[in-house]
Amino acid sequence: MSSAFEVCTAQHGSDLSVELLQCVSDAADAGREDISSGLNSFFLIYAGALVFFMQLGFAMLCAGSIREKNVKNVLLWNLLDSAGGAFGFWSIGFAFAYGGQDKSLGKTFIGTSGFFLTGDTDMEFWFFQYTFACALSSIVAGTIAERTKMMAYLCYSIFLCGFLYPVCAHAFWSSNGFLSAFAAEPLWGSGVIDFAGSGPVHMCGGVAALVMAIILGPRRGRFYDDDGVELDEPKAMGPHSVALQFLGTFALWFGWYGFNPGSSIYIATAASGDVSSLAAVNTTLGSAAGALSGMFTSTVVDERKTGVYTWDTTAAMNGCLTGLVAITAGCATVEPWAAFVIGITAGWIYLAASALMIKLKIDDAVDAIPVHMFGGMWGVIATGLFTSPRRLETAFNTTENVGWFYEWGRGSGNFTLLGCQLVSVLFVLGWSACIFTPFCMLLKALNWLRIDPLEEEVGMDISRHKGPAYESEGSAKAEAVAELSASRRDLMNISQSMSGGKAFSREAPKAEEPDKDISVQAGSAHDA
């Protein structure tokens, strides 16, 4: 390939001239732009891959946090998050979130162009945003594990990625969003500062999880016995593998380095590099502080109650995750010391919110609601308190409205930014709850929501996934497996009589072989 100088001399001659110098200068500028564009594209693809790696973290964390009789089920759910979410986000989700961005159009509620990736779309940007949508869907998966039908899961995964989340993303990040700091006329001259998604991703997913957990109801035996009598103490259910929990937590922490630093979108300038670097440092400090706060506070509380020092691994892990969620909004606009304070507070918020869920008898199988809904809410509000002028100018090119604590330092007490943050919290709460509630009620009315009580007792792996995840499976009661086997044979006999012949190629299994029966015929019955 010819150099820029060779091309220019061929056009303008080798004699020094204004035209030759201008040609070389233009070629050099074009070359730098090409390099910058390629570097930015690689940065987004790499960051998106890290965020996608979080799906592995969600899968391991969820699988480890529940009972072993439902492991295959929840692992499949996390895989389908990526599959169903890809369809929903490709078809309509991305268009609703970012379609038709044009500041001259003013503020809009939803995007209106770019469906099925038609038109001029930056593919690396689509990929990065798709991974965000999948992360949100996986938040709900953990909460409703062990008692939800596959049909319900497929429906809500597509609905979350295709509609519920995109509207929140549009409001926060589109140049036409009514909350967006990137709009031509942002809310109250400021707009909401949420750099990577404490509100539109984590809080939105957490509210959806809360709504579905309430409508779905708790797992059998969690708060009430089979006769509906309230238990003196909630029954502990899981985790079956602390090792998987820890691996999942570390995988999520690792993926967060794509989630937060990658949200700068660009990396080819010194300023964007500074923004990403700060986001990485604050992500580290927020998560570390959350883990320490959650574990040591739990230790102190237990010692006061029992007189014995204990070290709660769940409090450490979920405190870490809550710290990550909380620092996501302000990771590029707060100082490192503030990130540590935000993380410490996040650990306390997790412990309080987790206790509140139990008190309210809301069954959250993996504590996703305290981590994501409450942690996300704190993250959005904390950004309105701790955003510093220096960091805000680098990340958003403005210093007009900063964190409330800094405003008091200025002697003004300006409430603008914190007010915008509170408005955004109310919007996410209202939008997610008001839209997702009727959706879940519809699933319940269609009998697509909750599995049969007997299948729940046996476990989803045996009843719907052709056998247990582990050969040592022992959590399913033998009598319950036998009862489920008998019900499946009855259903098979009905199917045969209606069809006038054999409906299956295999003979009906014997009653004394319940395990073989279930593994062979699992999934043959229609949903209850």
Coordinates of all heavy atoms in Angstrom, one line a residue, residues 378-462:
W378 N -30.0 3.2 45.8 CA -29.0 3.9 46.5 C -27.9 4.5 45.6 O -27.4 5.6 45.8 CB -28.3 3.0 47.6 CG -27.0 3.5 48.1 CD1 -25.8 2.9 48.1 CD2 -26.8 4.8 48.8 NE1 -24.8 3.7 48.7 CE2 -25.4 4.8 49.1 CE3 -27.6 5.9 49.1 CZ2 -24.8 5.9 49.8 CZ3 -27.0 7.0 49.7 CH2 -25.6 7.0 50.1
G379 N -27.5 3.8 44.6 CA -26.5 4.2 43.6 C -27.0 5.5 42.9 O -26.2 6.4 42.7
V380 N -28.2 5.6 42.5 CA -28.7 6.7 41.8 C -28.7 7.9 42.7 O -28.3 9.1 42.3 CB -30.1 6.5 41.2 CG1 -30.7 7.7 40.6 CG2 -30.1 5.4 40.1
I381 N -29.2 7.7 43.9 CA -29.3 8.8 44.9 C -27.9 9.3 45.3 O -27.6 10.5 45.4 CB -30.1 8.4 46.1 CG1 -31.6 8.1 45.7 CG2 -30.1 9.5 47.2 CD1 -32.4 7.5 46.8
A382 N -27.0 8.3 45.5 CA -25.6 8.7 46.0 C -24.9 9.5 44.9 O -24.1 10.4 45.3 CB -24.9 7.4 46.2
T383 N -25.2 9.3 43.6 CA -24.6 10.1 42.6 C -25.1 11.5 42.7 O -24.3 12.4 42.4 CB -25.0 9.5 41.2 OG1 -24.6 8.1 41.1 CG2 -24.4 10.3 40.1
G384 N -26.3 11.7 43.1 CA -26.8 13.1 43.3 C -26.2 13.8 44.6 O -26.2 15.0 44.7
L385 N -25.5 13.0 45.4 CA -24.9 13.5 46.6 C -23.4 13.7 46.5 O -22.9 14.7 46.9 CB -25.2 12.6 47.8 CG -26.6 12.3 48.3 CD1 -26.6 11.2 49.3 CD2 -27.2 13.6 48.8
F386 N -22.7 12.8 45.8 CA -21.3 12.8 45.8 C -20.6 13.2 44.5 O -19.4 13.3 44.4 CB -20.8 11.4 46.1 CG -21.1 11.0 47.5 CD1 -22.1 10.2 47.8 CD2 -20.3 11.4 48.6 CE1 -22.4 9.8 49.1 CE2 -20.5 11.0 49.9 CZ -21.6 10.2 50.2
T387 N -21.4 13.5 43.4 CA -20.8 13.9 42.1 C -19.9 15.2 42.3 O -20.4 16.2 42.7 CB -21.8 14.1 41.1 OG1 -22.4 12.8 40.7 CG2 -21.2 14.7 39.8
S388 N -18.6 15.0 41.9 CA -17.7 16.2 42.1 C -17.6 17.0 40.8 O -17.8 16.5 39.7 CB -16.3 15.7 42.5 OG -15.7 15.2 41.3
P389 N -17.4 18.3 40.9 CA -17.3 19.2 39.8 C -16.2 18.7 38.8 O -16.4 18.7 37.6 CB -17.0 20.6 40.4 CG -17.5 20.5 41.8 CD -17.3 19.1 42.2
R390 N -15.1 18.4 39.3 CA -13.9 18.0 38.5 C -14.2 16.8 37.7 O -14.0 16.7 36.5 CB -12.7 17.8 39.4 CG -11.4 17.4 38.6 CD -10.2 17.5 39.5 NE -10.2 16.6 40.6 CZ -9.5 15.5 40.6 NH1 -8.7 15.2 39.6 NH2 -9.5 14.6 41.6
R391 N -14.8 15.8 38.3 CA -15.1 14.5 37.6 C -16.2 14.7 36.7 O -16.3 14.1 35.6 CB -15.4 13.4 38.6 CG -14.3 13.2 39.6 CD -13.0 12.7 39.0 NE -11.9 12.4 39.9 CZ -10.7 12.0 39.6 NH1 -10.3 11.9 38.4 NH2 -9.8 11.7 40.6
L392 N -17.2 15.5 37.0 CA -18.4 15.7 36.1 C -18.0 16.4 34.9 O -18.5 16.1 33.8 CB -19.5 16.5 36.9 CG -20.8 16.7 36.1 CD1 -21.5 15.4 35.8 CD2 -21.7 17.6 36.9
E393 N -17.1 17.3 35.0 CA -16.6 18.1 33.8 C -15.9 17.2 32.8 O -16.1 17.3 31.6 CB -15.7 19.2 34.2 CG -15.2 20.1 33.1 CD -14.4 21.3 33.5 OE1 -13.9 21.3 34.6 OE2 -14.2 22.2 32.7
T394 N -15.1 16.2 33.4 CA -14.3 15.3 32.5 C -15.3 14.4 31.8 O -15.1 14.1 30.6 CB -13.3 14.5 33.3 OG1 -12.4 15.4 34.0 CG2 -12.5 13.6 32.4
A395 N -16.3 13.9 32.5 CA -17.2 12.8 32.0 C -18.3 13.4 31.2 O -18.7 12.8 30.1 CB -17.7 12.0 33.1
F396 N -18.9 14.6 31.6 CA -20.1 15.1 31.0 C -19.9 16.5 30.5 O -20.9 17.1 30.0 CB -21.3 15.0 31.9 CG -21.8 13.6 32.2 CD1 -21.2 12.8 33.2 CD2 -22.8 13.1 31.5 CE1 -21.7 11.6 33.4 CE2 -23.3 11.9 31.7 CZ -22.7 11.1 32.7
N397 N -18.7 17.1 30.6 CA -18.4 18.4 30.1 C -19.3 19.5 30.7 O -19.8 20.4 30.0 CB -18.5 18.4 28.5 CG -17.8 19.6 27.9 OD1 -16.8 20.1 28.5 ND2 -18.3 20.1 26.8
T398 N -19.6 19.4 31.9 CA -20.4 20.4 32.6 C -20.0 20.4 34.1 O -19.6 19.4 34.7 CB -21.9 20.2 32.4 OG1 -22.7 21.2 33.1 CG2 -22.3 18.8 33.0
T399 N -20.2 21.6 34.7 CA -20.1 21.7 36.2 C -21.2 22.6 36.8 O -21.1 23.0 37.9 CB -18.7 22.4 36.5 OG1 -18.6 23.7 35.9 CG2 -17.6 21.5 36.0
E400 N -22.2 22.8 36.0 CA -23.3 23.7 36.5 C -24.0 23.1 37.7 O -24.3 23.8 38.7 CB -24.3 23.9 35.3 CG -25.3 25.0 35.7 CD -26.2 25.3 34.5 OE1 -25.9 24.8 33.4 OE2 -27.2 26.0 34.7
N401 N -24.4 21.8 37.6 CA -25.1 21.2 38.8 C -24.4 20.0 39.2 O -24.2 19.0 38.4 CB -26.5 20.8 38.3 CG -27.4 22.0 37.9 OD1 -27.8 22.8 38.7 ND2 -27.6 22.1 36.5
V402 N -23.9 20.0 40.4 CA -23.1 18.9 40.9 C -23.7 18.3 42.1 O -24.9 18.6 42.5 CB -21.6 19.4 41.2 CG1 -21.0 19.9 40.0 CG2 -21.7 20.5 42.3
G403 N -23.0 17.3 42.8 CA -23.6 16.7 44.0 C -23.9 17.6 45.1 O -23.3 18.7 45.3
W404 N -25.0 17.2 45.8 CA -25.5 18.1 46.8 C -24.5 18.5 47.9 O -24.5 19.6 48.3 CB -26.8 17.5 47.4 CG -27.7 18.4 48.1 CD1 -28.1 19.6 47.7 CD2 -28.3 18.3 49.4 NE1 -28.9 20.2 48.6 CE2 -29.1 19.4 49.6 CE3 -28.3 17.3 50.4 CZ2 -29.8 19.6 50.8 CZ3 -29.1 17.4 51.5 CH2 -29.8 18.6 51.7
F405 N -23.7 17.6 48.3 CA -22.7 17.9 49.3 C -21.7 18.9 48.7 O -21.2 19.8 49.5 CB -21.9 16.6 49.7 CG -22.8 15.6 50.4 CD1 -22.5 14.3 50.4 CD2 -23.8 16.0 51.2 CE1 -23.3 13.3 51.1 CE2 -24.6 15.1 51.9 CZ -24.3 13.8 51.8
Y406 N -21.3 18.8 47.5 CA -20.5 19.8 46.9 C -21.2 21.2 46.7 O -20.5 22.2 46.8 CB -19.9 19.3 45.5 CG -18.9 18.3 45.6 CD1 -19.2 16.9 45.6 CD2 -17.5 18.6 45.8 CE1 -18.2 15.9 45.8 CE2 -16.5 17.6 45.9 CZ -16.9 16.3 45.9 OH -15.9 15.3 46.0
E407 N -22.5 21.1 46.4 CA -23.2 22.4 46.3 C -23.2 23.1 47.6 O -23.1 24.4 47.7 CB -24.7 22.1 45.9 CG -24.8 21.5 44.5 CD -24.5 22.6 43.4 OE1 -24.3 23.8 43.8 OE2 -24.6 22.2 42.2
W408 N -23.3 22.4 48.8 CA -23.2 23.1 50.1 C -21.9 23.6 50.3 O -21.7 24.7 50.8 CB -23.6 22.1 51.2 CG -25.1 21.9 51.4 CD1 -25.8 20.8 51.0 CD2 -26.0 22.8 52.0 NE1 -27.1 21.0 51.3 CE2 -27.3 22.3 51.9 CE3 -25.8 24.1 52.5 CZ2 -28.4 22.9 52.4 CZ3 -27.0 24.7 53.0 CH2 -28.2 24.1 53.0
G409 N -20.8 23.0 49.7 CA -19.5 23.5 49.8 C -19.3 24.8 49.0 O -18.5 25.7 49.4
R410 N -20.1 24.9 48.0 CA -20.1 26.1 47.2 C -20.9 27.3 47.9 O -20.9 28.4 47.4 CB -20.8 25.9 45.8 CG -20.0 25.1 44.8 CD -20.8 24.8 43.6 NE -20.0 24.3 42.5 CZ -20.5 24.0 41.3 NH1 -21.8 24.1 41.1 NH2 -19.7 23.5 40.3
G411 N -21.7 26.9 48.9 CA -22.5 27.8 49.6 C -23.9 28.1 48.9 O -24.6 29.0 49.3
S412 N -24.3 27.1 48.1 CA -25.6 27.3 47.4 C -26.7 26.4 47.8 O -27.8 26.8 47.8 CB -25.4 27.1 45.8 OG -25.1 25.8 45.6
G413 N -26.4 25.1 48.1 CA -27.4 24.2 48.5 C -28.3 23.8 47.3 O -29.4 23.4 47.4
N414 N -27.7 24.0 46.1 CA -28.5 23.7 44.8 C -28.9 22.3 44.8 O -28.1 21.3 44.9 CB -27.6 24.0 43.6 CG -28.3 23.8 42.3 OD1 -29.4 23.4 42.2 ND2 -27.5 23.9 41.2
F415 N -30.2 22.0 44.7 CA -30.8 20.7 44.8 C -31.1 20.1 43.4 O -31.7 19.0 43.3 CB -32.1 20.8 45.5 CG -32.7 19.5 46.0 CD1 -32.1 18.8 47.1 CD2 -33.8 18.9 45.4 CE1 -32.6 17.6 47.6 CE2 -34.3 17.7 45.8 CZ -33.7 17.0 46.9
T416 N -30.7 20.8 42.3 CA -31.1 20.4 41.0 C -30.7 18.9 40.6 O -31.5 18.1 40.2 CB -30.5 21.3 39.9 OG1 -30.9 22.7 40.2 CG2 -30.9 20.9 38.5
L417 N -29.4 18.6 40.8 CA -29.0 17.3 40.4 C -29.6 16.2 41.2 O -30.1 15.2 40.7 CB -27.4 17.2 40.4 CG -26.9 15.8 40.1 CD1 -27.3 15.4 38.7 CD2 -25.3 15.8 40.2
L418 N -29.6 16.4 42.5 CA -30.2 15.4 43.4 C -31.7 15.3 43.1 O -32.3 14.2 43.2 CB -30.0 15.8 44.9 CG -30.5 14.8 45.9 CD1 -30.0 13.4 45.7 CD2 -30.2 15.3 47.4
G419 N -32.3 16.4 42.8 CA -33.8 16.3 42.4 C -34.0 15.5 41.2 O -34.9 14.7 41.1
C420 N -33.1 15.7 40.2 CA -33.2 14.9 39.0 C -33.0 13.4 39.3 O -33.8 12.5 38.7 CB -32.2 15.3 38.0 SG -32.5 16.9 37.2
Q421 N -32.1 13.1 40.2 CA -31.9 11.7 40.5 C -33.1 11.1 41.2 O -33.5 9.9 40.9 CB -30.7 11.6 41.5 CG -29.4 12.2 40.9 CD -28.9 11.5 39.7 OE1 -28.9 12.1 38.6 NE2 -28.4 10.3 39.8
L422 N -33.7 11.8 42.1 CA -34.9 11.3 42.8 C -36.1 11.1 41.8 O -36.8 10.2 41.9 CB -35.3 12.3 43.9 CG -34.3 12.4 45.1 CD1 -34.8 13.5 46.0 CD2 -34.2 11.1 45.8
V423 N -36.2 12.0 40.9 CA -37.3 11.9 39.8 C -37.0 10.6 39.0 O -38.0 9.9 38.7 CB -37.3 13.1 38.9 CG1 -38.2 12.8 37.7 CG2 -37.8 14.3 39.6
S424 N -35.8 10.3 38.7 CA -35.5 9.1 37.9 C -35.8 7.8 38.7 O -36.3 6.8 38.2 CB -34.0 9.1 37.5 OG -33.1 8.9 38.6
V425 N -35.6 7.9 40.1 CA -35.9 6.7 40.9 C -37.4 6.5 40.9 O -37.9 5.3 40.7 CB -35.4 7.0 42.4 CG1 -36.0 5.9 43.3 CG2 -33.9 6.9 42.4
L426 N -38.2 7.5 41.0 CA -39.6 7.4 41.0 C -40.1 6.9 39.6 O -41.0 6.1 39.5 CB -40.3 8.7 41.3 CG -40.1 9.3 42.7 CD1 -40.7 10.7 42.8 CD2 -40.7 8.3 43.7
F427 N -39.4 7.4 38.5 CA -39.8 6.9 37.2 C -39.6 5.4 37.0 O -40.5 4.7 36.5 CB -39.0 7.7 36.1 CG -39.1 7.1 34.7 CD1 -40.3 7.1 34.0 CD2 -38.1 6.4 34.2 CE1 -40.4 6.6 32.8 CE2 -38.2 5.8 32.9 CZ -39.4 5.9 32.2
V428 N -38.4 4.9 37.4 CA -38.1 3.5 37.3 C -39.1 2.7 38.1 O -39.6 1.6 37.7 CB -36.6 3.2 37.6 CG1 -36.4 1.7 37.6 CG2 -35.7 3.9 36.7
L429 N -39.3 3.1 39.3 CA -40.3 2.4 40.2 C -41.6 2.3 39.6 O -42.3 1.2 39.5 CB -40.4 3.1 41.6 CG -39.2 2.8 42.5 CD1 -39.4 3.8 43.8 CD2 -39.1 1.4 43.0
G430 N -42.1 3.5 39.1 CA -43.5 3.5 38.5 C -43.6 2.8 37.2 O -44.5 2.0 37.0
W431 N -42.7 3.0 36.3 CA -42.7 2.4 35.0 C -42.6 0.8 35.1 O -43.4 0.1 34.6 CB -41.6 2.9 34.1 CG -41.4 2.1 32.9 CD1 -40.4 1.2 32.6 CD2 -42.3 2.0 31.7 NE1 -40.5 0.6 31.4 CE2 -41.7 1.1 30.8 CE3 -43.4 2.7 31.4 CZ2 -42.3 0.8 29.6 CZ3 -44.0 2.4 30.2 CH2 -43.4 1.5 29.3
S432 N -41.6 0.4 35.9 CA -41.4 -1.1 36.0 C -42.6 -1.8 36.6 O -43.0 -2.8 36.2 CB -40.1 -1.4 36.7 OG -39.0 -0.8 36.1
A433 N -43.1 -1.2 37.7 CA -44.1 -1.9 38.5 C -45.5 -1.8 37.7 O -46.2 -2.8 37.6 CB -44.3 -1.2 39.8
C434 N -45.8 -0.7 37.1 CA -47.1 -0.5 36.4 C -47.1 -1.3 35.1 O -48.2 -1.7 34.7 CB -47.3 1.0 36.1 SG -47.6 2.0 37.6
I435 N -46.0 -1.5 34.5 CA -46.0 -2.3 33.2 C -45.9 -3.8 33.5 O -46.6 -4.6 32.9 CB -44.9 -1.8 32.3 CG1 -45.2 -0.4 31.9 CG2 -44.8 -2.7 31.0 CD1 -46.5 -0.2 31.1
F436 N -45.0 -4.2 34.4 CA -44.7 -5.6 34.6 C -45.8 -6.3 35.5 O -46.0 -7.5 35.3 CB -43.4 -5.7 35.3 CG -42.7 -7.0 35.1 CD1 -42.4 -7.4 33.8 CD2 -42.4 -7.9 36.1 CE1 -41.8 -8.6 33.5 CE2 -41.8 -9.1 35.8 CZ -41.5 -9.5 34.6
T437 N -46.6 -5.5 36.3 CA -47.6 -6.2 37.1 C -48.7 -6.8 36.2 O -49.1 -7.9 36.4 CB -48.2 -5.1 38.1 OG1 -47.2 -4.7 39.0 CG2 -49.4 -5.8 38.9
P438 N -49.3 -6.0 35.3 CA -50.4 -6.6 34.4 C -49.8 -7.7 33.6 O -50.5 -8.7 33.3 CB -50.9 -5.5 33.6 CG -49.9 -4.4 33.7 CD -49.2 -4.6 35.0
F439 N -48.5 -7.6 33.2 CA -47.9 -8.7 32.4 C -47.9 -10.0 33.2 O -48.2 -11.1 32.7 CB -46.5 -8.3 31.9 CG -45.8 -9.3 31.2 CD1 -46.0 -9.5 29.8 CD2 -44.8 -10.1 31.8 CE1 -45.4 -10.5 29.1 CE2 -44.1 -11.1 31.1 CZ -44.4 -11.3 29.7
C440 N -47.4 -9.9 34.4 CA -47.4 -11.1 35.3 C -48.8 -11.6 35.6 O -49.0 -12.9 35.7 CB -46.6 -10.8 36.6 SG -44.8 -10.5 36.3
M441 N -49.7 -10.7 35.8 CA -51.1 -11.2 36.1 C -51.7 -11.9 34.9 O -52.4 -12.9 35.1 CB -51.9 -9.9 36.4 CG -51.6 -9.2 37.7 SD -51.7 -10.3 39.2 CE -53.5 -10.5 39.2
L442 N -51.3 -11.5 33.7 CA -51.8 -12.2 32.5 C -51.2 -13.6 32.4 O -51.9 -14.6 32.1 CB -51.4 -11.4 31.2 CG -51.7 -12.0 29.9 CD1 -53.2 -12.2 29.8 CD2 -51.2 -11.2 28.7
L443 N -49.9 -13.7 32.7 CA -49.3 -15.0 32.8 C -50.0 -15.9 33.8 O -50.2 -17.1 33.5 CB -47.8 -14.9 33.1 CG -46.9 -14.3 32.1 CD1 -45.5 -14.2 32.6 CD2 -46.9 -15.0 30.7
K444 N -50.3 -15.4 34.9 CA -51.0 -16.1 36.0 C -52.4 -16.6 35.5 O -52.8 -17.7 35.7 CB -51.1 -15.3 37.2 CG -51.6 -16.1 38.4 CD -51.5 -15.3 39.7 CE -52.0 -16.1 40.9 NZ -51.9 -15.3 42.2
A445 N -53.1 -15.7 34.8 CA -54.4 -16.0 34.4 C -54.4 -17.1 33.3 O -55.3 -17.9 33.2 CB -55.1 -14.7 33.8
L446 N -53.4 -17.1 32.5 CA -53.2 -18.1 31.5 C -52.7 -19.5 32.0 O -52.5 -20.4 31.3 CB -52.3 -17.6 30.4 CG -52.8 -16.5 29.5 CD1 -51.7 -15.9 28.6 CD2 -54.1 -16.9 28.7
N447 N -52.4 -19.5 33.3 CA -51.8 -20.6 34.0 C -50.4 -21.0 33.4 O -50.0 -22.1 33.3 CB -52.7 -21.9 33.9 CG -52.3 -23.0 34.9 OD1 -51.8 -22.7 36.0 ND2 -52.6 -24.2 34.6
W448 N -49.7 -19.9 33.1 CA -48.3 -20.1 32.5 C -47.3 -19.7 33.6 O -46.1 -19.8 33.2 CB -48.1 -19.2 31.3 CG -48.9 -19.6 30.1 CD1 -49.7 -20.7 29.9 CD2 -48.8 -18.9 28.8 NE1 -50.2 -20.7 28.7 CE2 -49.7 -19.7 28.0 CE3 -48.2 -17.8 28.3 CZ2 -49.9 -19.3 26.6 CZ3 -48.4 -17.4 27.0 CH2 -49.3 -18.2 26.2
L449 N -47.7 -19.4 34.8 CA -46.7 -18.8 35.7 C -46.1 -19.8 36.6 O -44.8 -19.9 36.6 CB -47.4 -17.7 36.5 CG -46.5 -16.8 37.4 CD1 -45.4 -16.1 36.5 CD2 -47.3 -15.8 38.2
R450 N -46.9 -20.5 37.4 CA -46.3 -21.3 38.5 C -46.4 -22.8 38.1 O -47.5 -23.2 37.6 CB -46.9 -21.0 39.8 CG -46.4 -21.8 41.0 CD -46.3 -21.1 42.2 NE -45.6 -21.8 43.3 CZ -45.2 -21.3 44.4 NH1 -45.3 -20.0 44.6 NH2 -44.6 -22.1 45.3
I451 N -45.4 -23.6 38.5 CA -45.5 -25.0 38.2 C -46.4 -25.7 39.2 O -46.8 -25.2 40.2 CB -44.0 -25.6 38.3 CG1 -43.5 -25.5 39.7 CG2 -43.1 -25.0 37.3 CD1 -42.1 -26.2 39.9
D452 N -46.7 -27.0 38.9 CA -47.6 -27.8 39.7 C -46.9 -28.0 41.1 O -45.7 -28.2 41.1 CB -47.8 -29.1 39.0 CG -48.7 -30.0 39.8 OD1 -49.9 -29.9 39.8 OD2 -48.2 -30.9 40.5
P453 N -47.6 -28.0 42.2 CA -47.0 -28.2 43.5 C -46.2 -29.5 43.6 O -45.2 -29.6 44.3 CB -48.2 -28.3 44.5 CG -49.3 -27.4 43.8 CD -49.1 -27.7 42.3
L454 N -46.7 -30.6 43.0 CA -46.0 -31.9 43.0 C -44.7 -31.8 42.3 O -43.6 -32.3 42.7 CB -46.9 -33.0 42.4 CG -46.3 -34.4 42.5 CD1 -46.0 -34.8 43.9 CD2 -47.3 -35.4 41.9
E455 N -44.7 -31.1 41.1 CA -43.4 -30.9 40.4 C -42.4 -30.1 41.2 O -41.2 -30.3 41.2 CB -43.7 -30.3 39.0 CG -44.5 -31.2 38.1 CD -44.7 -30.5 36.7 OE1 -44.4 -29.3 36.6 OE2 -45.0 -31.2 35.8
E456 N -43.0 -29.1 41.9 CA -42.1 -28.3 42.8 C -41.5 -29.1 43.9 O -40.3 -28.9 44.2 CB -42.9 -27.1 43.3 CG -42.1 -26.1 44.1 CD -42.9 -24.9 44.7 OE1 -44.0 -24.7 44.2 OE2 -42.4 -24.2 45.6
E457 N -42.2 -30.0 44.4 CA -41.7 -30.8 45.5 C -40.6 -31.8 45.0 O -39.6 -31.9 45.6 CB -42.9 -31.7 46.1 CG -42.4 -32.7 47.2 CD -41.9 -32.0 48.4 OE1 -42.4 -30.8 48.7 OE2 -41.1 -32.6 49.1
V458 N -40.8 -32.4 43.8 CA -39.9 -33.3 43.2 C -38.6 -32.5 42.7 O -37.5 -32.9 42.9 CB -40.5 -34.1 42.1 CG1 -39.4 -34.9 41.3 CG2 -41.6 -35.0 42.6
G459 N -38.9 -31.3 42.2 CA -37.8 -30.5 41.6 C -37.9 -30.4 40.1 O -38.4 -31.4 39.4
M460 N -37.5 -29.3 39.6 CA -37.7 -29.0 38.1 C -36.8 -29.9 37.3 O -37.1 -30.3 36.2 CB -37.4 -27.6 37.8 CG -38.4 -26.6 38.4 SD -40.0 -26.7 37.6 CE -39.6 -25.8 36.1
D461 N -35.6 -30.3 37.8 CA -34.7 -31.1 37.0 C -35.3 -32.5 36.7 O -35.2 -32.9 35.5 CB -33.4 -31.3 37.8 CG -32.6 -30.0 37.9 OD1 -33.0 -29.0 37.3 OD2 -31.5 -30.0 38.6
I462 N -35.9 -33.1 37.6 CA -36.5 -34.4 37.4 C -37.8 -34.3 36.6 O -38.0 -35.0 35.7 CB -36.7 -35.2 38.7 CG1 -35.4 -35.6 39.3 CG2 -37.6 -36.4 38.5 CD1 -35.5 -36.3 40.7

